[in-house]
PDB file of all heavy atoms in Angstrom:
ATOM      1  N   LYS E   1      -7.560   7.494 -16.461  1.00 87.00           N
ATOM      2  CA  LYS E   1      -7.332   6.052 -16.642  1.00 87.00           C
ATOM      3  C   LYS E   1      -8.573   5.216 -16.050  1.00 87.00           C
ATOM      4  O   LYS E   1      -8.988   4.273 -16.644  1.00 87.00           O
ATOM      5  CB  LYS E   1      -6.079   5.653 -15.948  1.00 87.00           C
ATOM      6  CG  LYS E   1      -5.708   4.154 -16.068  1.00 87.00           C
ATOM      7  CD  LYS E   1      -4.298   3.848 -15.508  1.00 87.00           C
ATOM      8  CE  LYS E   1      -3.969   2.384 -15.699  1.00 87.00           C
ATOM      9  NZ  LYS E   1      -4.835   1.472 -14.880  1.00 87.00           N
ATOM     10  N   GLN E   2      -8.977   5.633 -14.863  1.00 86.00           N
ATOM     11  CA  GLN E   2     -10.116   5.005 -14.229  1.00 86.00           C
ATOM     12  C   GLN E   2     -11.400   5.045 -15.050  1.00 86.00           C
ATOM     13  O   GLN E   2     -12.215   4.155 -15.138  1.00 86.00           O
ATOM     14  CB  GLN E   2     -10.271   5.430 -12.838  1.00 86.00           C
ATOM     15  CG  GLN E   2      -9.156   5.102 -11.879  1.00 86.00           C
ATOM     16  CD  GLN E   2      -9.285   5.834 -10.571  1.00 86.00           C
ATOM     17  OE1 GLN E   2      -9.929   6.874 -10.473  1.00 86.00           O
ATOM     18  NE2 GLN E   2      -8.629   5.317  -9.449  1.00 86.00           N
ATOM     19  N   ILE E   3     -11.589   6.232 -15.639  1.00 87.00           N
ATOM     20  CA  ILE E   3     -12.746   6.499 -16.463  1.00 87.00           C
ATOM     21  C   ILE E   3     -12.782   5.605 -17.683  1.00 87.00           C
ATOM     22  O   ILE E   3     -13.849   5.008 -17.951  1.00 87.00           O
ATOM     23  CB  ILE E   3     -12.802   8.048 -16.869  1.00 87.00           C
ATOM     24  CG1 ILE E   3     -13.184   8.937 -15.742  1.00 87.00           C
ATOM     25  CG2 ILE E   3     -13.851   8.267 -18.035  1.00 87.00           C
ATOM     26  CD1 ILE E   3     -13.049  10.365 -16.067  1.00 87.00           C
ATOM     27  N   ILE E   4     -11.661   5.401 -18.286  1.00 89.00           N
ATOM     28  CA  ILE E   4     -11.587   4.545 -19.530  1.00 89.00           C
ATOM     29  C   ILE E   4     -11.904   3.123 -19.084  1.00 89.00           C
ATOM     30  O   ILE E   4     -12.572   2.351 -19.743  1.00 89.00           O
ATOM     31  CB  ILE E   4     -10.158   4.706 -20.079  1.00 89.00           C
ATOM     32  CG1 ILE E   4      -9.993   6.032 -20.717  1.00 89.00           C
ATOM     33  CG2 ILE E   4      -9.966   3.599 -21.149  1.00 89.00           C
ATOM     34  CD1 ILE E   4      -8.587   6.346 -21.239  1.00 89.00           C
ATOM     35  N   GLU E   5     -11.313   2.755 -17.889  1.00 87.00           N
ATOM     36  CA  GLU E   5     -11.591   1.330 -17.491  1.00 87.00           C
ATOM     37  C   GLU E   5     -13.003   1.175 -17.113  1.00 87.00           C
ATOM     38  O   GLU E   5     -13.613   0.011 -17.514  1.00 87.00           O
ATOM     39  CB  GLU E   5     -10.704   1.130 -16.123  1.00 87.00           C
ATOM     40  CG  GLU E   5      -9.164   1.014 -16.460  1.00 87.00           C
ATOM     41  CD  GLU E   5      -8.402   0.919 -15.204  1.00 87.00           C
ATOM     42  OE1 GLU E   5      -8.964   1.230 -14.083  1.00 87.00           O
ATOM     43  OE2 GLU E   5      -7.201   0.688 -15.274  1.00 87.00           O
ATOM     44  N   ILE E   6     -13.710   2.051 -16.504  1.00 88.00           N
ATOM     45  CA  ILE E   6     -15.076   1.878 -16.177  1.00 88.00           C
ATOM     46  C   ILE E   6     -15.975   1.907 -17.371  1.00 88.00           C
ATOM     47  O   ILE E   6     -17.001   1.142 -17.591  1.00 88.00           O
ATOM     48  CB  ILE E   6     -15.597   2.980 -15.130  1.00 88.00           C
ATOM     49  CG1 ILE E   6     -14.854   2.811 -13.811  1.00 88.00           C
ATOM     50  CG2 ILE E   6     -17.103   2.855 -14.939  1.00 88.00           C
ATOM     51  CD1 ILE E   6     -15.084   1.502 -13.149  1.00 88.00           C
ATOM     52  N   ARG E   7     -15.624   2.735 -18.328  1.00 90.00           N
ATOM     53  CA  ARG E   7     -16.307   2.825 -19.632  1.00 90.00           C
ATOM     54  C   ARG E   7     -16.239   1.471 -20.411  1.00 90.00           C
ATOM     55  O   ARG E   7     -17.205   0.936 -20.903  1.00 90.00           O
ATOM     56  CB  ARG E   7     -15.828   3.932 -20.539  1.00 90.00           C
ATOM     57  CG  ARG E   7     -16.274   5.334 -20.095  1.00 90.00           C
ATOM     58  CD  ARG E   7     -15.654   6.389 -20.987  1.00 90.00           C
ATOM     59  NE  ARG E   7     -15.934   7.695 -20.576  1.00 90.00           N
ATOM     60  CZ  ARG E   7     -15.452   8.828 -21.169  1.00 90.00           C
ATOM     61  NH1 ARG E   7     -14.635   8.692 -22.082  1.00 90.00           N
ATOM     62  NH2 ARG E   7     -15.829   9.983 -20.687  1.00 90.00           N
ATOM     63  N   THR E   8     -15.020   0.935 -20.421  1.00 91.00           N
ATOM     64  CA  THR E   8     -14.812  -0.422 -21.055  1.00 91.00           C
ATOM     65  C   THR E   8     -15.609  -1.472 -20.332  1.00 91.00           C
ATOM     66  O   THR E   8     -16.234  -2.324 -21.025  1.00 91.00           O
ATOM     67  CB  THR E   8     -13.315  -0.712 -21.024  1.00 91.00           C
ATOM     68  OG1 THR E   8     -12.554   0.317 -21.679  1.00 91.00           O
ATOM     69  CG2 THR E   8     -13.022  -2.035 -21.678  1.00 91.00           C
ATOM     70  N   LEU E   9     -15.613  -1.403 -19.041  1.00 90.00           N
ATOM     71  CA  LEU E   9     -16.422  -2.399 -18.276  1.00 90.00           C
ATOM     72  C   LEU E   9     -17.933  -2.285 -18.579  1.00 90.00           C
ATOM     73  O   LEU E   9     -18.544  -3.306 -18.779  1.00 90.00           O
ATOM     74  CB  LEU E   9     -16.204  -2.169 -16.792  1.00 90.00           C
ATOM     75  CG  LEU E   9     -16.958  -3.032 -15.785  1.00 90.00           C
ATOM     76  CD1 LEU E   9     -16.779  -4.529 -16.065  1.00 90.00           C
ATOM     77  CD2 LEU E   9     -16.629  -2.733 -14.312  1.00 90.00           C
ATOM     78  N   ILE E  10     -18.454  -1.062 -18.681  1.00 91.00           N
ATOM     79  CA  ILE E  10     -19.895  -0.865 -19.061  1.00 91.00           C
ATOM     80  C   ILE E  10     -20.156  -1.415 -20.371  1.00 91.00           C
ATOM     81  O   ILE E  10     -21.147  -2.130 -20.631  1.00 91.00           O
ATOM     82  CB  ILE E  10     -20.252   0.614 -18.909  1.00 91.00           C
ATOM     83  CG1 ILE E  10     -20.173   1.079 -17.457  1.00 91.00           C
ATOM     84  CG2 ILE E  10     -21.671   0.820 -19.444  1.00 91.00           C
ATOM     85  CD1 ILE E  10     -20.412   2.531 -17.260  1.00 91.00           C
ATOM     86  N   ARG E  11     -19.263  -1.256 -21.351  1.00 90.00           N
ATOM     87  CA  ARG E  11     -19.479  -1.727 -22.719  1.00 90.00           C
ATOM     88  C   ARG E  11     -19.419  -3.301 -22.685  1.00 90.00           C
ATOM     89  O   ARG E  11     -20.270  -3.921 -23.337  1.00 90.00           O
ATOM     90  CB  ARG E  11     -18.348  -1.173 -23.686  1.00 90.00           C
ATOM     91  CG  ARG E  11     -18.625   0.192 -24.250  1.00 90.00           C
ATOM     92  CD  ARG E  11     -17.804   0.480 -25.332  1.00 90.00           C
ATOM     93  NE  ARG E  11     -16.339   0.416 -25.088  1.00 90.00           N
ATOM     94  CZ  ARG E  11     -15.681   1.439 -24.739  1.00 90.00           C
ATOM     95  NH1 ARG E  11     -16.142   2.594 -24.567  1.00 90.00           N
ATOM     96  NH2 ARG E  11     -14.378   1.326 -24.469  1.00 90.00           N
ATOM     97  N   ASP E  12     -18.557  -3.833 -21.931  1.00 90.00           N
ATOM     98  CA  ASP E  12     -18.499  -5.275 -21.836  1.00 90.00           C
ATOM     99  C   ASP E  12     -19.725  -5.865 -21.150  1.00 90.00           C
ATOM    100  O   ASP E  12     -20.287  -6.859 -21.600  1.00 90.00           O
ATOM    101  CB  ASP E  12     -17.263  -5.743 -20.905  1.00 90.00           C
ATOM    102  CG  ASP E  12     -15.950  -5.460 -21.692  1.00 90.00           C
ATOM    103  OD1 ASP E  12     -15.978  -5.296 -22.952  1.00 90.00           O
ATOM    104  OD2 ASP E  12     -14.930  -5.444 -20.956  1.00 90.00           O
ATOM    105  N   LEU E  13     -20.206  -5.162 -20.122  1.00 89.00           N
ATOM    106  CA  LEU E  13     -21.506  -5.591 -19.495  1.00 89.00           C
ATOM    107  C   LEU E  13     -22.750  -5.562 -20.452  1.00 89.00           C
ATOM    108  O   LEU E  13     -23.657  -6.413 -20.340  1.00 89.00           O
ATOM    109  CB  LEU E  13     -21.830  -4.773 -18.258  1.00 89.00           C
ATOM    110  CG  LEU E  13     -20.902  -4.933 -17.048  1.00 89.00           C
ATOM    111  CD1 LEU E  13     -21.269  -3.831 -15.985  1.00 89.00           C
ATOM    112  CD2 LEU E  13     -21.009  -6.342 -16.479  1.00 89.00           C
ATOM    113  N   GLY E  14     -22.653  -4.692 -21.426  1.00 89.00           N
ATOM    114  CA  GLY E  14     -23.742  -4.618 -22.386  1.00 89.00           C
ATOM    115  C   GLY E  14     -23.881  -5.828 -23.265  1.00 89.00           C
ATOM    116  O   GLY E  14     -24.930  -6.021 -23.916  1.00 89.00           O
ATOM    117  N   ARG E  15     -22.908  -6.702 -23.281  1.00 87.00           N
ATOM    118  CA  ARG E  15     -22.985  -7.988 -24.106  1.00 87.00           C
ATOM    119  C   ARG E  15     -24.040  -8.874 -23.527  1.00 87.00           C
ATOM    120  O   ARG E  15     -24.589  -9.650 -24.202  1.00 87.00           O
ATOM    121  CB  ARG E  15     -21.615  -8.642 -24.198  1.00 87.00           C
ATOM    122  CG  ARG E  15     -20.573  -7.774 -24.912  1.00 87.00           C
ATOM    123  CD  ARG E  15     -19.277  -8.425 -24.799  1.00 87.00           C
ATOM    124  NE  ARG E  15     -18.164  -7.573 -25.357  1.00 87.00           N
ATOM    125  CZ  ARG E  15     -16.861  -7.769 -25.186  1.00 87.00           C
ATOM    126  NH1 ARG E  15     -16.398  -8.794 -24.421  1.00 87.00           N
ATOM    127  NH2 ARG E  15     -15.950  -6.956 -25.720  1.00 87.00           N
ATOM    128  N   ASN E  16     -24.148  -8.770 -22.147  1.00 87.00           N
ATOM    129  CA  ASN E  16     -24.957  -9.792 -21.441  1.00 87.00           C
ATOM    130  C   ASN E  16     -26.047  -9.188 -20.672  1.00 87.00           C
ATOM    131  O   ASN E  16     -26.853  -9.934 -19.940  1.00 87.00           O
ATOM    132  CB  ASN E  16     -24.113 -10.731 -20.506  1.00 87.00           C
ATOM    133  CG  ASN E  16     -23.080 -11.526 -21.322  1.00 87.00           C
ATOM    134  OD1 ASN E  16     -23.433 -12.207 -22.264  1.00 87.00           O
ATOM    135  ND2 ASN E  16     -21.804 -11.314 -20.955  1.00 87.00           N
ATOM    136  N   HIS E  17     -26.101  -7.858 -20.631  1.00 92.00           N
ATOM    137  CA  HIS E  17     -27.168  -7.176 -19.797  1.00 92.00           C
ATOM    138  C   HIS E  17     -27.711  -6.003 -20.582  1.00 92.00           C
ATOM    139  O   HIS E  17     -27.061  -5.474 -21.473  1.00 92.00           O
ATOM    140  CB  HIS E  17     -26.504  -6.609 -18.513  1.00 92.00           C
ATOM    141  CG  HIS E  17     -25.927  -7.665 -17.562  1.00 92.00           C
ATOM    142  ND1 HIS E  17     -26.430  -8.264 -16.643  1.00 92.00           N
ATOM    143  CD2 HIS E  17     -24.576  -8.107 -17.618  1.00 92.00           C
ATOM    144  CE1 HIS E  17     -25.667  -9.098 -15.995  1.00 92.00           C
ATOM    145  NE2 HIS E  17     -24.515  -9.064 -16.590  1.00 92.00           N
ATOM    146  N   THR E  18     -28.838  -5.571 -20.183  1.00 95.00           N
ATOM    147  CA  THR E  18     -29.468  -4.341 -20.682  1.00 95.00           C
ATOM    148  C   THR E  18     -28.974  -3.219 -19.722  1.00 95.00           C
ATOM    149  O   THR E  18     -29.108  -3.390 -18.516  1.00 95.00           O
ATOM    150  CB  THR E  18     -31.011  -4.363 -20.695  1.00 95.00           C
ATOM    151  OG1 THR E  18     -31.408  -5.369 -21.595  1.00 95.00           O
ATOM    152  CG2 THR E  18     -31.531  -3.050 -21.129  1.00 95.00           C
ATOM    153  N   VAL E  19     -28.401  -2.134 -20.229  1.00 95.00           N
ATOM    154  CA  VAL E  19     -27.780  -1.121 -19.350  1.00 95.00           C
ATOM    155  C   VAL E  19     -28.416   0.193 -19.591  1.00 95.00           C
ATOM    156  O   VAL E  19     -28.545   0.646 -20.733  1.00 95.00           O
ATOM    157  CB  VAL E  19     -26.266  -1.051 -19.640  1.00 95.00           C
ATOM    158  CG1 VAL E  19     -25.570  -0.014 -18.728  1.00 95.00           C
ATOM    159  CG2 VAL E  19     -25.567  -2.434 -19.382  1.00 95.00           C
ATOM    160  N   ILE E  20     -28.629   0.860 -18.471  1.00 95.00           N
ATOM    161  CA  ILE E  20     -29.114   2.329 -18.527  1.00 95.00           C
ATOM    162  C   ILE E  20     -28.013   3.171 -17.833  1.00 95.00           C
ATOM    163  O   ILE E  20     -27.673   2.814 -16.639  1.00 95.00           O
ATOM    164  CB  ILE E  20     -30.445   2.541 -17.892  1.00 95.00           C
ATOM    165  CG1 ILE E  20     -31.583   1.853 -18.591  1.00 95.00           C
ATOM    166  CG2 ILE E  20     -30.796   4.016 -17.697  1.00 95.00           C
ATOM    167  CD1 ILE E  20     -32.942   1.981 -18.019  1.00 95.00           C
ATOM    168  N   LEU E  21     -27.490   4.083 -18.494  1.00 94.00           N
ATOM    169  CA  LEU E  21     -26.402   4.908 -17.994  1.00 94.00           C
ATOM    170  C   LEU E  21     -26.867   6.351 -17.838  1.00 94.00           C
ATOM    171  O   LEU E  21     -27.235   7.031 -18.868  1.00 94.00           O
ATOM    172  CB  LEU E  21     -25.194   4.829 -18.925  1.00 94.00           C
ATOM    173  CG  LEU E  21     -24.085   5.855 -18.626  1.00 94.00           C
ATOM    174  CD1 LEU E  21     -23.384   5.476 -17.187  1.00 94.00           C
ATOM    175  CD2 LEU E  21     -22.953   5.754 -19.706  1.00 94.00           C
ATOM    176  N   SER E  22     -26.957   6.884 -16.642  1.00 91.00           N
ATOM    177  CA  SER E  22     -27.287   8.203 -16.363  1.00 91.00           C
ATOM    178  C   SER E  22     -26.051   9.043 -16.042  1.00 91.00           C
ATOM    179  O   SER E  22     -25.292   8.682 -15.103  1.00 91.00           O
ATOM    180  CB  SER E  22     -28.329   8.327 -15.295  1.00 91.00           C
ATOM    181  OG  SER E  22     -28.603   9.671 -14.902  1.00 91.00           O
ATOM    182  N   THR E  23     -25.734  10.054 -16.824  1.00 85.00           N
ATOM    183  CA  THR E  23     -24.531  10.835 -16.540  1.00 85.00           C
ATOM    184  C   THR E  23     -24.746  12.208 -17.128  1.00 85.00           C
ATOM    185  O   THR E  23     -25.440  12.496 -17.975  1.00 85.00           O
ATOM    186  CB  THR E  23     -23.287  10.070 -17.242  1.00 85.00           C
ATOM    187  OG1 THR E  23     -22.132  10.870 -17.017  1.00 85.00           O
ATOM    188  CG2 THR E  23     -23.543   9.947 -18.726  1.00 85.00           C
ATOM    189  N   HIS E  24     -23.870  13.140 -16.604  1.00 82.00           N
ATOM    190  CA  HIS E  24     -23.825  14.511 -17.147  1.00 82.00           C
ATOM    191  C   HIS E  24     -22.564  14.621 -18.017  1.00 82.00           C
ATOM    192  O   HIS E  24     -22.354  15.705 -18.693  1.00 82.00           O
ATOM    193  CB  HIS E  24     -23.698  15.632 -16.042  1.00 82.00           C
ATOM    194  CG  HIS E  24     -24.945  15.790 -15.274  1.00 82.00           C
ATOM    195  ND1 HIS E  24     -25.268  15.091 -14.167  1.00 82.00           N
ATOM    196  CD2 HIS E  24     -26.018  16.508 -15.558  1.00 82.00           C
ATOM    197  CE1 HIS E  24     -26.465  15.474 -13.737  1.00 82.00           C
ATOM    198  NE2 HIS E  24     -26.973  16.350 -14.583  1.00 82.00           N
ATOM    199  N   ILE E  25     -21.754  13.627 -18.168  1.00 82.00           N
ATOM    200  CA  ILE E  25     -20.528  13.681 -19.086  1.00 82.00           C
ATOM    201  C   ILE E  25     -21.033  13.184 -20.468  1.00 82.00           C
ATOM    202  O   ILE E  25     -21.041  12.026 -20.781  1.00 82.00           O
ATOM    203  CB  ILE E  25     -19.446  12.814 -18.434  1.00 82.00           C
ATOM    204  CG1 ILE E  25     -19.173  13.160 -17.019  1.00 82.00           C
ATOM    205  CG2 ILE E  25     -18.153  12.934 -19.286  1.00 82.00           C
ATOM    206  CD1 ILE E  25     -18.156  12.302 -16.259  1.00 82.00           C
ATOM    207  N   LEU E  26     -21.251  14.131 -21.310  1.00 83.00           N
ATOM    208  CA  LEU E  26     -21.791  13.823 -22.611  1.00 83.00           C
ATOM    209  C   LEU E  26     -20.883  13.083 -23.618  1.00 83.00           C
ATOM    210  O   LEU E  26     -21.359  12.135 -24.228  1.00 83.00           O
ATOM    211  CB  LEU E  26     -22.315  15.111 -23.357  1.00 83.00           C
ATOM    212  CG  LEU E  26     -23.266  15.983 -22.594  1.00 83.00           C
ATOM    213  CD1 LEU E  26     -23.773  17.173 -23.416  1.00 83.00           C
ATOM    214  CD2 LEU E  26     -24.535  15.123 -22.150  1.00 83.00           C
TER     215      LEU E  26
END
């Protein structure tokens, strides 16, 4: 549940920011 919430938050941030995401979770 927390993963889905953080992913949604990152997508929302992409509307007003340039985002670089480093992860091993493909």
Side-chain angles (χ1 to χ4, degrees):
K1 181 175 182 294
Q2 293 168 337
I3 288 173
I4 292 171
E5 290 172 347
I6 295 298
R7 287 178 182 174
T8 301
L9 175 56
I10 292 172
R11 281 197 298 269
D12 290 343
L13 289 174
R15 298 172 185 168
N16 300 305
H17 302 268
T18 298
V19 178
I20 294 180
L21 172 63
S22 175
T23 179
H24 285 95
I25 304 173
L26 301 185

